[in-house]
């Protein structure tokens, strides 16, 4: 629930017992139809947050929980900000978000990001589920990439197209190639 107290925004969430979407994505027990239901719930949750003027800015599979009734919940609004608030209170030098999932405008360090940044991250998750990997890989040593020069790596990536799922060969299950 998004609300305000004495002109300060706050968020209250229920306790969600379950597992992350990441675990669901890799579980052979999770059906195609169930995953589609999760993605519909995630889309509804992002729509609601955006209608409340909230940008999440760190949408990724480990920040989405699935309860025992198979409902998906977006969690960890630690990097969220109000769209109407303008500039973030965080340092401009900080890269916010998780490298595999952040939008090009976040990677460039832009202070003028909108709902498209969350939608981009959501699309990366969908791509990861369909293809079996994120569209743009990074080296294993993330700490090295998060050093001073990381924005340059993302600037170079921003103009590239993701790899076609046709190049993934047998890595893409037949029931996912039409998504």
């Amino acid at each position: 629930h998004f609300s305000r107290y004495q002109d300060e925004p706050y968020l209250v969430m229920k306790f969600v017992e379950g597992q992350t979407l990441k675990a669901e994505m890799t579980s052979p027990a999770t059906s195609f139809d169930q995953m589609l239901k999760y993605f519909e719930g995630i889309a509804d949750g992002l729509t609601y947050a955006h209608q409340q003027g909230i940008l999440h800015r760190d949408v990724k599979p480990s920040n989405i929980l699935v309860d025992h009734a198979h409902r998906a919940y977006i969690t960890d609004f630690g990097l969220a900000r109000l769209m109407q608030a303008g500039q973030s209170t965080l340092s401009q030098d900080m890269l916010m978000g998780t490298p595999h999932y952040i939008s090009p405008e976040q990677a460039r360090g832009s202070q003028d990001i909108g709902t498209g940044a969350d939608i981009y991250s959501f699309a990366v998750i969908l791509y990861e589920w369909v293809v079996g990997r994120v569209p743009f890989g990074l080296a294993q040593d993330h700490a090295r990439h998060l050093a001073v020069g990381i924005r340059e790596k993302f600037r170079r990536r921003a103009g590239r197209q993701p790899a076609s799922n046709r190049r993934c060969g047998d890595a893409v299950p037949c029931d996912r190639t039409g998504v």
Side-chain angles (χ1 to χ4, degrees), residues 105-175:
E105 59 268 33
Q106 284 176 279
R108 285 190 300 268
S110 174
Q111 294 298 307
D112 188 26
I113 65 169
T115 59
D118 287 345
I119 295 167
Y120 177 93
S121 300
F122 175 67
V124 170
I125 297 168
L126 182 58
Y127 182 99
E128 180 180 10
W129 170 60
V130 171
V131 177
R133 62 177 173 77
V134 293
F136 302 102
L138 297 173
Q140 295 294 335
D141 183 11
H142 295 300
R144 181 171 49 90
H145 288 285
L146 291 174
V148 177
I150 191 167
R151 284 197 180 127
E152 285 305 313
K153 177 162 182 67
F154 283 104
R155 283 188 183 118
R156 289 190 305 271
R157 180 188 87 179
R160 292 184 12 220
Q161 293 296 316
S164 166
N165 65 358
R166 293 175 194 216
R167 292 195 303 182
C168 298
D170 295 333
V172 180
C174 293
D175 65 346

Side-chain angles (χ1 to χ4, degrees), residues 27-179:
S27 170
T30 305
S31 72
F32 179 85
D33 289 339
Q34 190 58 55
M35 285 301 299
L36 290 179
K37 182 179 171 189
Y38 295 152
F39 281 108
E40 183 178 344
I42 297 162
D44 289 346
L46 283 174
T47 299
Y48 178 77
H50 294 161
Q51 288 172 343
Q52 303 306 307
I54 303 292
L55 291 176
H56 188 283
R57 301 194 305 177
D58 196 22
V59 178
K60 60 185 177 183
S62 61
N63 282 347
I64 299 166
L65 296 179
V66 176
D67 70 8
H68 297 300
H70 302 288
R71 290 179 298 247
Y73 294 88
I74 302 167
T75 64
D76 194 358
F77 282 77
L79 294 181
R81 77 172 174 117
L82 294 174
M83 287 186 267
Q84 68 195 37
Q87 288 199 349
S88 171
T89 58
L90 297 174
S91 167
Q92 283 187 326
D93 295 329
M94 291 180 66
L95 177 65
M96 294 175 290
T98 303
H100 288 301
Y101 302 95
I102 64 171
S103 67
E105 59 268 33
Q106 284 176 279
R108 285 190 300 268
S110 174
Q111 294 298 307
D112 188 26
I113 65 169
T115 59
D118 287 345
I119 295 167
Y120 177 93
S121 300
F122 175 67
V124 170
I125 297 168
L126 182 58
Y127 182 99
E128 180 180 10
W129 170 60
V130 171
V131 177
R133 62 177 173 77
V134 293
F136 302 102
L138 297 173
Q140 295 294 335
D141 183 11
H142 295 300
R144 181 171 49 90
H145 288 285
L146 291 174
V148 177
I150 191 167
R151 284 197 180 127
E152 285 305 313
K153 177 162 182 67
F154 283 104
R155 283 188 183 118
R156 289 190 305 271
R157 180 188 87 179
R160 292 184 12 220
Q161 293 296 316
S164 166
N165 65 358
R166 293 175 194 216
R167 292 195 303 182
C168 298
D170 295 333
V172 180
C174 293
D175 65 346
R176 297 184 189 174
T177 57
V179 174

